[in-house]
Amino acid sequence: MNLEKSKIESIGDIIKNGSKDTKQLVLDITFYQRPYRWKTEMIDKLFSDYIENRAHAASDKDDKEKAKQYFLGAVVLVEKKDDQKQAEFEVVDGQQRLTTIYLMNYLKFCLLRCRIDEMIQFNPSNIKQEMEMMISCYNSFVGKKNASKMNTMKVKLYQIIDAHGAAAWDKKEIEKITKTYRKAVGLPAKKDLSDIETYYNECVVTNEKFLEKEKFCLDYSYEEYTESLREALKSIVIIYSNTMSPDWQLIPYDDEEEWPFANRAIDILAGLSDYQQKYEPSTNPEDVIRVYINLLDELINKLNVCEIITTKADDAYKLFETLNDRSEGVSDLELMKDYFYKYYVKKSGEGKRNINCKLKDLDKVWVESLNKYEKEERFWIAYCSTVYITGKTDIKKNDSLTKAIDAYLSDYCSNSKYSASDIESDFNVFKLVAETIHYVSGGSFKNIAFKTENAPKDSIVKRTLALLLQLDYKAIGAAIVCDILFNYEVNCHTLKYSDYLDEIFDEDICIKKHNTLWEEANVVWKTTILAEDYTFPKTFTDAIIQNRKKKNVGTVSTTAACVAITPTQQAELKKCFEEWASTWTYRKNVKEKQKIKLLFFHLMLKYSYVSSKTKTDAELTYNKTTAVTFPPAVLSQDLDHIEGETKHTGREKEFYKYDDKTRLNEINSIANMMILDRTNNVKKQNPPMVEGIDYYKKNCTPHWLINEIEKLFDANKTTNVHGFTVPKNDFFDKRTSRLLEYFYKIVSMSDSTHSNVPVSKL
């Protein structure tokens, strides 16, 4: 391993790159890098640790400056140079830390921009030091687009200032300089803080123009990542005047699951504010911004990293694997593609010309087949493809998939060549998996289990995969995908794959033509929806993966299902379901809530309650010929409380156990739940139960489950001491019992014949 440069230095030192003059640090964030994922607590810890370290430095008489240094960890870079010999660095490791420093530097630029703008109003002659710092800040580690414009503005302003001499500045001169300055640095032409929200919006507009087509120093290979950064930076507006401290309250807080650039910028600003209030509380308002700028400058120049630079990418990747346990996993499809390419080039034995032609063809297939999918779909595609190709059942969600692929390819190549047909076969797996996942998801995993449940013709195979996608049970979902691909390769490979998916995702066709696949998916659906978590169904799906992996194509029969639930397992499953479902509450685990909602959907859409003439017999009949569907609005609606969770002020005595702290245990239980569309849910407005039931009867499509609620309430209601009709405890106990019986039986007794389900008579 040849590592040309390795040393401890700050980001400020890296920018200087051994020169006295500031140079621009350009970092290439390659396609395989995981997204920026620092959380608030990481920013908080960085500030607290640095301040604590600095406090120790203050007492170090030997070397105070050295003691101030704070070590952030390793950064691994691959140095590249363009035709003009401008150095750029591909980031192999350290992107999270470097991105955080980039945000600090951008905030420093924004704060300096505000400070200079305010200083101009009083005496432009004093701005030179801050102007030099701001432009240096931008040029070194923000971007390229506005550099010449700001330098031109600086020269023009300095000429005016130097020519002005010691004379007092009049209003028109200041307005002229202000206009020139604001136009160059991306601030609105006028600053009116009488309406801060309006001014903020004006700043966002000018920021957007300022950053449009900006070539950032964080240069992402994926354009969507760059646009996410651009969107975040344009929203970062700091409101400031000489009479107030910096204010950033209007910056929107983004979804943490997406790119949290703006969120971490807010956290950094909060850290600056906390520091100022704790350590320099007596600072005048006009100088608070200087405290912020000084601390950011200090952080950028004192936060040290172990900088490791090489010109050989392979060495950098090897070092990256050594330095990281990869707990967050680099699992991007593009990095996996490179592993396939590496083994094909080295182990195919083919000529260079053939290899180059094949790589072009493969790259085209990869881009056309996979790059169009969204981030969430891409990870599922990578995970399921890896499981089918390797047959591994122990790959955790956050494991490095590239390691599994690397091990598989290494083992394969120890016994044979890895030819063009081999890599084409593996690439085809990714292509088919992508088509399968996208067929079910349509590009979004939100509510897809409810959507497929609401589609009468959708098969158990499609409904099972949709459920697993929504629950994010990757290890379980991969087994279903393996089963789908294996069945295709063994039995249907002459059929167009899209036509094959049409068959297996249609209930009637799937039962008739792909019954083994139907039975195996049914086992997974039953165990997934009844078990509290993924542990129980995984025992079945591990067996599916081992039996239906790619290696077994041509050697294993699919005439009989490879998994089935034994009576002992069925009893264990029933006990598990009754334990978690009977104690479930509305504010509990999100995945449990999704299962409860899906059970309601399944019961309400697919079964009718039929009471016999005897005193004890009743059954649920499957709606095979008279399909029921819900309007689309229901799909995005959560479970609804029959009696409102929140009591109306002034009407508290009309509610069940209105003065009892244990009330919410029953109100948030399964017994008080019903499905209701969004429009009606808003209108219903948390009434007491007697009004809630009336609302269902008047405003919802008639349904036997609503009638049952009314009958149970009529048989288990009482009048409280204030004369209001409320449910007894028995209502909740009896409805819980009935729902658990319904849910368990319609799931556990389901089979391809869709036979009726005997239940207790009300």
Side-chain angles (χ1 to χ4, degrees), residues 585-627:
T585 62
Y586 184 77
R587 301 298 175 187
K588 207 174 178 184
N589 185 288
V590 172
K591 291 180 180 178
E592 288 180 359
K593 182 188 287 188
Q594 292 174 333
K595 291 181 183 181
I596 293 294
K597 182 177 176 181
L598 190 69
L599 285 166
F600 268 103
F601 267 64
H602 190 67
L603 176 64
M604 297 173 71
L605 289 169
K606 293 186 166 54
Y607 290 89
S608 297
Y609 179 87
V610 179
S611 178
S612 68
K613 294 180 180 179
T614 66
K615 291 183 177 180
T616 57
D617 293 339
E619 62 184 15
L620 299 177
T621 60
Y622 189 82
N623 300 324
K624 187 173 183 180
T625 57
T626 56

Side-chain angles (χ1 to χ4, degrees), residues 620-638:
L620 299 177
T621 60
Y622 189 82
N623 300 324
K624 187 173 183 180
T625 57
T626 56
V628 178
T629 58
F630 286 150
V634 179
L635 300 178
S636 59
Q637 178 55 44
D638 207 343

Side-chain angles (χ1 to χ4, degrees), residues 65-76:
E65 283 304 307
K66 185 176 180 180
K68 274 187 180 181
Q69 310 294 331
Y70 181 75
F71 185 63
L72 270 182
V75 169
V76 182

Side-chain angles (χ1 to χ4, degrees), residues 133-266:
M133 187 184 297
M134 180 191 71
I135 292 177
S136 174
C137 181
Y138 175 88
N139 289 342
S140 60
F141 202 38
V142 175
K144 295 182 178 181
K145 171 194 167 187
N146 298 288
S148 60
K149 183 168 60 175
M150 284 195 287
N151 282 322
T152 300
M153 174 271 296
K154 181 188 79 169
V155 171
K156 187 175 182 179
L157 260 58
Y158 283 12
Q159 288 174 345
I160 296 172
I161 291 169
D162 292 342
H164 191 275
W169 292 89
D170 63 30
K171 186 177 180 181
K172 287 185 178 181
E173 290 173 317
I174 288 178
E175 286 179 351
K176 181 180 178 181
I177 290 181
T178 300
K179 183 178 179 180
T180 302
Y181 170 76
R182 288 178 177 169
K183 184 177 180 180
V185 300
L187 288 174
K190 294 183 178 180
K191 180 179 179 180
D192 182 2
L193 298 187
S194 62
D195 184 345
I196 290 181
E197 187 169 351
T198 298
Y199 180 68
Y200 171 85
N201 292 330
E202 290 173 355
C203 288
V204 171
V205 171
T206 52
N207 261 351
E208 184 173 20
K209 186 175 181 180
F210 184 74
L211 298 172
E212 185 180 13
K213 297 181 180 180
E214 176 66 271
K215 177 72 172 176
F216 296 119
C217 290
L218 282 186
D219 188 17
Y220 289 93
S221 296
Y222 281 146
E223 187 176 338
E224 62 181 293
Y225 295 177
T226 300
E227 291 311 306
S228 296
L229 176 61
R230 197 184 312 278
E231 284 295 309
L233 297 186
K234 81 175 186 183
S235 72
I236 296 174
V237 175
I238 299 170
I239 309 296
Y240 171 73
S241 75
N242 246 22
T243 58
M244 64 183 291
S245 297
D247 182 9
W248 55 88
Q249 294 183 32
L250 292 172
I251 301 175
Y253 203 79
D254 291 335
D255 183 350
E256 281 290 346
E257 295 304 313
E258 298 302 325
W259 287 79
F261 294 119
N263 300 3
R264 298 297 78 81
I266 294 171

Side-chain angles (χ1 to χ4, degrees), residues 358-589:
K358 180 54 64 177
L359 287 178
K360 287 182 181 179
D361 293 340
L362 289 169
D363 210 48
K364 184 177 180 181
V365 170
W366 192 274
V367 170
E368 291 178 352
S369 300
L370 301 174
N371 283 8
K372 60 187 175 183
Y373 296 108
E374 296 298 323
K375 179 173 58 178
E376 194 171 17
E377 286 182 299
R378 289 169 66 86
F379 190 89
W380 268 89
I381 293 165
Y383 186 93
C384 295
S385 300
T386 301
V387 170
Y388 183 62
I389 289 171
T390 65
K392 289 178 66 67
T393 60
D394 59 347
I395 303 176
K396 295 180 175 60
K397 186 170 66 173
N398 291 327
D399 282 351
S400 168
L401 301 180
T402 54
K403 284 184 178 179
I405 290 295
D406 190 26
Y408 154 77
L409 290 169
S410 177
D411 181 64
Y412 186 92
C413 293
S414 65
N415 299 312
S416 61
K417 294 180 179 180
Y418 190 61
S419 66
S421 60
D422 292 325
I423 192 172
E424 284 176 345
S425 176
D426 285 336
F427 268 42
N428 192 52
V429 170
F430 285 84
K431 182 180 178 181
L432 298 184
V433 170
E435 194 171 342
T436 305
I437 297 296
H438 191 71
Y439 190 113
V440 177
S441 72
S444 172
F445 291 0
K446 185 177 181 180
N447 290 323
I448 56 173
F450 309 139
K451 292 175 184 176
T452 55
E453 198 69 39
N454 199 40
K457 290 188 176 183
D458 281 354
S459 72
I460 191 68
V461 180
K462 186 177 181 182
R463 290 190 288 117
T464 302
L465 185 52
L467 172 64
L468 297 167
L469 290 172
Q470 184 166 313
L471 294 176
D472 198 30
Y473 283 179
K474 288 189 172 66
I476 316 299
I480 296 298
V481 174
C482 287
D483 218 352
I484 290 170
L485 264 62
F486 193 87
N487 184 60
Y488 175 72
E489 295 287 356
V490 173
N491 299 317
C492 310
H493 58 274
T494 59
L495 192 65
K496 187 178 178 182
Y497 193 70
S498 58
D499 294 337
Y500 166 71
L501 292 179
D502 288 339
E503 286 189 359
I504 65 170
F505 290 155
D506 182 286
E507 181 77 346
D508 291 336
I509 298 175
C510 189
I511 290 173
K512 292 175 184 177
K513 295 185 65 175
H514 309 279
N515 190 257
T516 299
L517 178 61
W518 193 100
E519 290 179 10
E520 290 170 341
N522 195 36
V523 169
V524 178
W525 182 75
K526 288 180 182 181
T527 54
T528 299
I529 204 167
L530 292 177
E532 185 172 12
D533 57 28
Y534 66 88
T535 308
F536 192 93
K538 194 172 187 300
T539 59
F540 297 92
T541 55
D542 283 356
I544 291 175
I545 291 168
Q546 285 296 303
N547 198 276
R548 308 309 198 203
K549 59 189 175 184
K550 183 174 184 281
K551 186 178 180 180
N552 290 346
V553 173
T555 63
V556 175
S557 172
T558 58
T559 56
C562 64
V563 292
I565 304 175
T566 66
T568 301
Q569 290 169 329
Q570 187 71 50
E572 181 184 349
L573 188 61
K574 181 180 181 181
K575 181 181 179 182
C576 175
F577 172 68
E578 290 176 344
E579 285 178 353
W580 78 259
S582 62
T583 58
W584 174 85
T585 62
Y586 184 77
R587 301 298 175 187
K588 207 174 178 184
N589 185 288

Side-chain angles (χ1 to χ4, degrees), residues 17-47:
N17 199 22
S19 170
K20 293 181 179 180
D21 301 322
T22 299
K23 294 184 178 180
Q24 188 169 66
L25 177 64
V26 179
L27 300 175
D28 292 336
I29 312 298
T30 57
F31 50 75
Y32 61 82
Q33 286 283 355
R34 63 182 181 266
Y36 181 53
R37 281 293 177 264
W38 265 36
K39 303 290 185 183
T40 299
E41 53 267 25
M42 297 176 181
I43 299 294
D44 292 344
K45 189 175 190 308
L46 176 61
F47 270 93

Side-chain angles (χ1 to χ4, degrees), residues 609 616-620 738 741-742 745 757-761:
Y609 179 87
T616 57
D617 293 339
E619 62 184 15
L620 299 177
R738 294 195 69 79
E741 180 187 9
Y742 294 158
K745 286 187 175 180
V757 180
V759 293
S760 302
K761 190 172 183 178

